[in-house]
Structures are given as C-alpha cells and as structure tokens.
C-alpha cells in the first residue's frame, strides 16, 4: 500500500462568496514527482496555501468540512510542518530581495531553511553540522561562490539557486516548486531546469511542481493533476494529461504540442507543432 504524501478529501475553500476550491479530492503518494497544472484562476495558489496551512477548508452548508493530511498528519503545527517541507517560489524570492531579508548572505539564507525564518534574528544556531549542511547544499546547486554575497546583490537566477539550496538544506520529504522560473531570463531558466532535472533523482525527496508553464515539466515528473476553476479536471500519468486535446480544453484555446531536445513539452498556439529538424 502506497504511503501518502498529501491527501485532500472534499476540500472547499470559500472567501467572500467566491469558491477558490470546490470539493477537491486529491492523493499524492511519497516518491511520485507530480505537477499541478492549470491556467490562472484554476486554484493552484489556493491549493498551495492550503498545503502551507495558510488557508483551511471551509465548512459547507450541510455542516461538513473537508480534510487535509500532509505527510500522514492533519494536526500540524505550522512551523513544524514548514521545517518538513522545502518551498521555492517567486513570492519567496521577492521576500528575500528587499529590506532586512535582502541583507542576509546566501549562506545565512540557506541556513534559515532549518527554521523557515526569513530574518537573521530568528536564524538557527550555526553549529558545525549546520555549517556543513549549508556548504553541501550550496555546492549541490553550484553556488558555493555565492556564500558570502548578500541576497540583494544576487541576480534573480543566482538567488533562485540559493533558494533551492535553502529548500534542500534540511533534507525535507517534500519540495514544493511554485512557478519556479518566473522572472528568469533564458540563460538562467535553462540552468534552473537543468538543476531541476538532476534533483528528480534525490533519494527520499518528492517534488511537487505548481505551474502553468509546460516547459517547466522536466522528465521525471511522471504524474500530472490538471486544475480547472477550483476542481480536479484530470489526475493521472503525464502522457495522458499532456495532450493537445486536454490542454486545449483546459486553457480554452487551440493548442498543439511538441517536445524539445530535453524531452520537455512545448505548446504551440493553433495549427500543428513544428516538425523536428533532421539531425
């Protein structure tokens, strides 16, 4: 029997009479790298906020309330849960760019992954073991040379690699990547996706990619959940989810699909996908 990483059972979230999620049921087992894919407004951000315990299931008119279990538990202390997860997002990047957070060095920011804090005032005690873990995490993302630089002086691509190291430093069971290439230029996006491709082989780590960009879906993400207006429209193997027919219906526009040289799906508006060039 599979051990579940995430389990949602009939979860609805209503804010100011707007249904952000509608009776969503979803189960993702440990070890299955999965993609949450959908257009803007599909419920991706709301689902992520439920997983981070920033939103909670609403009580329906019949008095029923959906349930959320993460890593086998529903009674998490938020701080403890965030120490069991790694999170990388454009929003987190913005948090670490400005103000006092931007004055942290890359090494200090990576160490903050142990406490999920964003300020040095709440940082973890820098024992030799923590320092070794920070060095190893930075080396893993080819960012050792950035250790002493402040976050505010880093490029977006450099800072995003540091945040990956922060997300991995405490050996989490779950790494959540929320629109991870937002704001990256072509070169930085290419390097980031190469790093993501390497991470899929990390023992004991399950990755959850939340996106509306097909090109972020690197080989190794074998399962896709399609969201549409707060509901699960499809939940199954990537090969069955990522078809022109399904994605055209989901995004409300005629699409065709091809794959790039790295095996990532590429969408084309209307018509047929370009034929691959002869070698």
């Amino acid at each position: 029997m599979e051990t579940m990483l995430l389990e949602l059972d009939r979860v609805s979230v209503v804010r100011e009479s707007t249904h952000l999620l509608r009776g969503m049921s979803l189960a993702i087992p440990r070890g299955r790298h999965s993609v949450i894919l959908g257009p803007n407004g599909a419920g991706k951000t709301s689902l992520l906020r439920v997983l981070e315990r920033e939103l909670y299931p609403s009580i329906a008119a019949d008095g029923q309330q959906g349930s959320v279990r993460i890593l086998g538990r529903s009674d998490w202390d938020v701080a403890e849960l965030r120490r069991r997860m790694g999170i990388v997002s454009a929003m987190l990047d913005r948090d670490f760019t400005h103000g006092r957070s931007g004055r942290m060095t890359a090494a200090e920011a990576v160490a903050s992954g142990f406490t999920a804090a964003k300020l040095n005032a709440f940082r973890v005690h820098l024992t030799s073991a923590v320092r070794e873990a920070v060095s190893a995490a930075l080396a893993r993302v080819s960012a050792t040379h950035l250790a002493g630089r402040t976050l505010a002086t880093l490029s977006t691509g450099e800072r995003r690699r540091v945040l990956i190291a922060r997300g991995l430093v405490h050996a989490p069971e779950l790494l959540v990547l929320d629109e991870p290439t937002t704001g990256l230029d072509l070169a930085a996006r290419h390097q980031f996706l190469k790093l993501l491709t390497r991470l899929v082989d990390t023992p004991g780590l399950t990755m959850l990619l939340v996106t509306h960009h097909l090109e972020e879906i690197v080989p190794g993400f074998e399962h896709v959940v399609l969201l549409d207006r707060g509901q699960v429209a499809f939940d199954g193997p990537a090969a069955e989810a990522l078809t022109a027919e399904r994605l055209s219906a989901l995004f409300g526009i005629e699409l065709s699909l091809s794959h790039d040289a790295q095996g990532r799906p590429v969408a084309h508006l209307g018509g047929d996908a370009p034929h691959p060039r002869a070698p």
Side-chain angles (χ1 to χ4, degrees):
M1 184 176 180
E2 291 180 306
T3 303
M4 289 299 154
L5 186 77
L6 305 172
E7 295 176 275
L8 280 71
D9 182 29
R10 294 169 294 180
V11 171
S12 294
V13 175
V14 182
R15 290 293 180 272
E16 298 180 1
S17 301
T18 298
H19 280 77
L20 305 179
L21 300 179
R22 297 175 179 269
M24 182 177 292
S25 293
L26 179 64
I28 298 177
R30 281 181 169 90
R32 190 177 75 190
H33 302 313
S34 299
V35 179
I36 306 294
L37 178 70
N40 291 335
K44 301 187 303 297
T45 299
S46 297
L47 174 58
L48 184 59
R49 292 182 68 192
V50 167
L51 300 183
E52 293 184 65
R53 312 298 275 178
E54 293 180 1
L55 286 177
Y56 291 85
S58 300
I59 298 176
D62 61 3
Q64 298 298 310
Q65 184 178 28
S67 64
V68 179
R69 293 178 64 84
I70 305 172
L71 300 172
R73 290 173 49 185
S74 58
D75 58 343
W76 284 101
D77 170 78
V78 174
E80 181 186 358
L81 174 62
R82 290 178 181 172
R83 288 193 291 269
R84 296 279 296 277
M85 300 168 58
I87 298 175
V88 178
S89 68
M91 184 177 298
L92 184 67
D93 191 343
R94 287 192 293 272
D95 290 343
F96 273 102
T97 305
H98 306 292
R100 288 182 293 165
S101 294
R103 294 197 289 270
M104 296 175 73
T105 66
E108 289 168 340
V110 172
S112 75
F114 283 99
T115 59
K118 299 176 185 177
L119 293 173
N120 261 339
F122 306 105
R123 69 182 180 183
V124 65
H125 180 58
L126 295 178
T127 64
S128 59
V130 169
R131 293 180 188 278
E132 288 176 9
V134 168
S135 296
L138 285 169
R140 193 172 178 185
V141 300
S142 303
T144 300
H145 62 294
L146 302 176
R149 294 262 305 275
T150 60
L151 297 181
T153 69
L154 302 181
S155 70
T156 304
E158 290 171 334
R159 198 165 49 250
R160 205 66 53 86
R161 276 189 285 152
V162 169
L163 293 181
I164 283 279
R166 179 183 186 267
L168 295 172
V169 70
H170 56 306
E173 296 170 66
L174 172 63
L175 179 64
V176 179
L177 303 163
D178 180 25
E179 307 283 2
T181 65
T182 297
L184 300 186
D185 62 27
L186 288 176
R189 177 178 297 177
H190 176 70
Q191 292 301 321
F192 189 92
L193 293 176
K194 284 178 62 177
L195 172 60
L196 194 56
T197 301
R198 295 201 305 270
L199 292 178
V200 297
D201 295 324
T202 303
L205 177 68
T206 305
M207 292 195 292
L208 182 64
L209 173 63
V210 182
T211 187
H212 62 265
H213 297 293
L214 293 182
E215 65 272 16
E216 292 181 351
I217 305 175
V218 301
F221 283 87
E222 65 270 23
H223 202 89
V224 174
V225 177
L226 302 180
L227 295 190
D228 185 16
R229 288 167 287 189
Q231 297 177 301
V232 174
F234 179 83
D235 179 2
E240 296 179 22
L242 303 178
T243 67
E245 181 179 7
R246 286 193 192 279
L247 296 181
S248 294
L250 182 68
F251 287 93
I253 189 169
E254 183 183 357
L255 299 174
S256 56
L257 293 177
S258 65
H259 288 80
D260 65 15
Q262 288 72 43
R264 300 188 299 256
V266 180
H268 308 274
L269 298 181
D272 297 323
H275 295 291
R277 295 179 179 178

